Amino acid sequence: MSESTEGRPIVLRGGTVLTMDPAKRVLAGQDVLVTDGRIAALGPDLEVPEGTVEIDATGGIVMPGMIDTHRHMWQTAMRGYGADWTLTQYFVWYYLEWGKAFRPEDVYAGNLLSALEALDAGVTTTVDWSHGLQTVDHADAAVDALLAVPGRFVLAYGNIQQAPAEWTAAPEFRDFVSRRRGDLDGFQMAFDVTGDPAFPERPAFEVARELGAPVTTHAGVWGATNDDGIRLMHEHGFMTPGSVYVHAATLSADSYHRIAATGGSVSVSTESEQSAGQGYPPTWALRLHGIPVSLSMDTSVWWSGDLFSAMRTTLGADRSREHLEAHAKGNTVTHAALRAEQVVEWATLGGARALGRDAELGSLEVGKSADVVLIRNEHSPVMFPLLNPYGHVAFQAQRGDVDTVLVGGRIVKRAGRLVDVDLAAARATVERTVEHLRSTLGEEAWARGMNPDVPETKILDNPYTYTDYQSAATHGG
């Protein structure tokens, strides 16, 4: 399919277009014309060049490609393995016990599957928060996998097996950066700040500054990173507009003020924060401090790899807290503060802003790159009626409703199927990784890792227990 459409203009006809432009225009029943990889025109009944590929978008929603700003792609070959983990169990498994068992080919397998999964769900740009790069061979494998898939990928280079000051000082890391940095759509450095008063991460920040690479860091994670890390970054001048703080769920107002004042942004992974225990999803605090937000899904070792789930759970968590706090004061929330439109913006333009790419990505405007998603499913009763398009995207749509995906004007998904993708080969690659890990761990450790102990639950005594309701009623009970 890609050969027949290669280089040809494309028009999506008659959809409801969520432009996400500054005016937040919603264009009902209009067209989006793509030429030379860019948005050429938006409007009703557009005249198009001869040979244009026509895609029927009637009854569907046309929106910008979604952007995930924090995904540990290398872990995707372990999809669902840690469904019942806490964050502590995740740290023990990957950081202390078995993370070192991943070979370069295993990082390749995870990245390949994750990249395909992202495109399938309409995520056209993904930050590979790649903290499993024990060697540059692992890093080369990560990049090779991303280059095999026609999406946009930013490599956030990290290594949980060494201190940041150690791996960033290695000559082979510098060599890798000079060789591979230009292969992808961006480069970041990924490491965390422990809050140690000696600030041992300072040399890593200095390398990032020298390389002109933004730093993305897990901040405000319960039991792992805290306000001290933010303070040290700020006092030493390493908080910049390009800094991305992941989770930021357990920070004080002082830390949020520092992030806001220095122009940083926060990547919220609501499904992760709710389930693993980094802290309560912080959108309520970020909104209070005017901090820009993007969305991410974290890792498929637990959760889904799509931003529909991220939007839905983010709305739910924010509103749940708003109601809970009001009820505690005897009040009732009559108007929700966080709206569906806002989380759709966070999933698109918010991600582009976090990456410094909002002049090119994140909205459907003439001249911008044609990263476009069509949500349309003629075989699903969930796609009609289409009344509130933002609400439909945030609460109704799913990855199975992603009909068409364009990246830079190239069709990478059409009629609900990825284009020119050998899923059987990807499956075989992942199966080899699973076989390697399972044999390395052994069956007992494999099963124990996937099925952690269940804490004992004490059932409270219930004084309202009747064994004979007729007798109780007879005696006036």
Side-chain angles (χ1 to χ4, degrees):
M1 184 180 295
S2 62
E3 292 180 359
S4 62
T5 63
E6 192 73 32
R8 294 167 57 188
I10 301 164
V11 65
L12 296 96
R13 292 283 194 194
T16 296
V17 182
L18 300 184
T19 64
M20 307 313 297
D21 67 6
K24 299 292 189 298
R25 291 181 301 158
V26 177
L27 310 177
Q30 297 197 24
D31 307 337
V32 178
L33 175 64
V34 173
T35 61
D36 298 323
R38 298 196 170 272
I39 306 293
L42 301 96
D45 303 317
L46 293 177
E47 292 188 14
V48 300
E50 185 177 351
T52 296
V53 178
E54 300 254 353
I55 297 176
D56 184 8
T58 55
I61 297 170
V62 182
M63 63 180 289
M66 288 172 274
I67 298 173
D68 185 322
T69 53
H70 157 243
R71 184 179 300 210
H72 304 302
M73 299 177 73
W74 65 288
Q75 298 174 350
T76 307
M78 298 286 291
R79 182 192 305 286
Y81 179 89
D84 294 318
W85 279 354
T86 61
L87 191 63
T88 297
Q89 289 158 337
Y90 168 86
F91 283 151
V92 169
W93 204 96
Y94 277 110
Y95 286 58
L96 301 178
E97 293 184 341
W98 300 111
K100 292 180 181 179
F102 283 73
R103 307 163 298 176
E105 53 263 49
D106 305 319
V107 170
Y108 181 96
N111 271 29
L112 179 67
L113 182 58
S114 185
L116 293 172
E117 175 182 32
L119 286 186
D120 188 58
V123 178
T124 53
T125 301
T126 306
V127 174
D128 177 20
W129 220 102
S130 201
H131 58 354
L133 306 183
Q134 305 170 59
T135 70
V136 292
D137 290 338
H138 289 76
D140 278 316
V143 173
D144 290 344
L146 300 178
L147 291 176
V149 178
R152 296 188 191 277
F153 302 100
V154 175
L155 180 71
Y157 194 115
N159 180 0
I160 57 176
Q161 303 303 332
Q162 289 183 351
E166 183 178 355
W167 63 260
T168 58
E172 54 268 28
F173 168 70
R174 297 295 192 106
D175 175 67
F176 170 86
V177 174
S178 64
R179 287 188 295 108
R180 305 303 302 266
R181 182 172 185 169
D183 289 346
L184 298 171
D185 274 74
F187 179 78
Q188 298 176 343
M189 288 169 58
F191 57 87
D192 296 339
V193 183
T194 62
D196 182 338
F199 195 36
E201 299 84 11
R202 177 170 188 153
F205 278 107
E206 290 173 342
V207 171
R209 176 176 289 170
E210 179 188 342
L211 295 175
V215 171
T216 175
T217 185
H218 294 112
V221 174
W222 181 264
T225 57
N226 55 34
D227 293 307
D228 289 332
I230 297 294
R231 178 181 53 77
L232 288 165
M233 286 179 64
H234 190 249
E235 289 177 351
H236 290 86
F238 292 116
M239 295 180 74
T240 71
S243 299
V244 178
Y245 306 87
V246 178
H247 302 306
T250 57
L251 297 176
S252 67
D254 181 75
S255 289
Y256 290 129
H257 282 311
R258 293 179 196 257
I259 293 172
T262 53
S265 65
V266 170
S267 177
V268 176
S269 303
T270 304
E271 279 191 292
S272 181
E273 291 133 20
Q274 284 181 321
S275 186
Q278 292 92 338
Y280 199 90
T283 50
W284 62 279
L286 304 177
R287 291 189 290 106
L288 284 174
H289 291 86
I291 297 172
V293 177
S294 63
L295 299 182
S296 58
M297 55 70 54
D298 206 343
T299 171
S300 288
V301 79
W302 266 291
W303 305 286
S304 59
D306 69 271
L307 291 190
F308 296 107
S309 293
M311 288 184 277
R312 184 172 299 129
T313 56
T314 298
L315 275 170
D318 193 290
R319 292 175 176 179
S320 176
R321 185 182 181 102
E322 187 177 19
H323 289 299
L324 189 65
E325 291 189 343
H327 296 174
K329 299 174 183 176
N331 297 328
T332 299
V333 174
T334 59
H335 293 75
L338 183 63
R339 316 300 282 233
E341 175 186 322
Q342 195 161 357
V343 296
V344 175
E345 180 177 345
W346 289 346
T348 53
L349 193 58
R353 287 171 176 155
L355 300 180
R357 300 290 299 279
D358 49 306
E360 183 181 5
L361 306 174
S363 62
L364 301 182
E365 300 178 68
V366 173
K368 280 197 169 186
S369 180
D371 290 14
V372 185
V373 170
L374 168 60
I375 299 171
R376 185 175 186 261
N377 190 343
E378 291 297 288
H379 305 290
S380 171
V382 178
M383 282 308 297
F384 61 87
L386 179 54
L387 307 176
N388 178 345
Y390 292 115
H392 215 101
V393 170
F395 277 133
Q396 306 296 324
Q398 304 174 48
R399 73 169 74 209
D401 300 318
V402 176
D403 177 273
T404 300
V405 179
L406 277 65
V407 180
R410 176 181 178 179
I411 298 176
V412 299
K413 186 177 184 181
R414 179 81 182 272
R417 296 289 183 270
L418 291 170
V419 173
D420 292 340
V421 167
D422 190 344
L423 280 181
R427 183 192 299 268
T429 300
V430 169
E431 286 175 348
R432 287 192 292 271
T433 283
V434 172
E435 289 169 4
H436 159 70
L437 293 171
R438 192 164 188 163
S439 63
T440 299
L441 273 66
E443 285 303 312
E444 182 180 350
W446 176 266
R448 186 172 61 250
M450 189 162 43
N451 300 284
D453 294 337
V454 179
E456 182 179 350
T457 300
K458 183 182 185 325
I459 304 298
L460 297 176
D461 294 333
N462 188 343
Y464 302 105
T465 302
Y466 297 101
T467 56
D468 186 348
Y469 286 98
Q470 185 173 4
S471 174
T474 301
H475 292 87

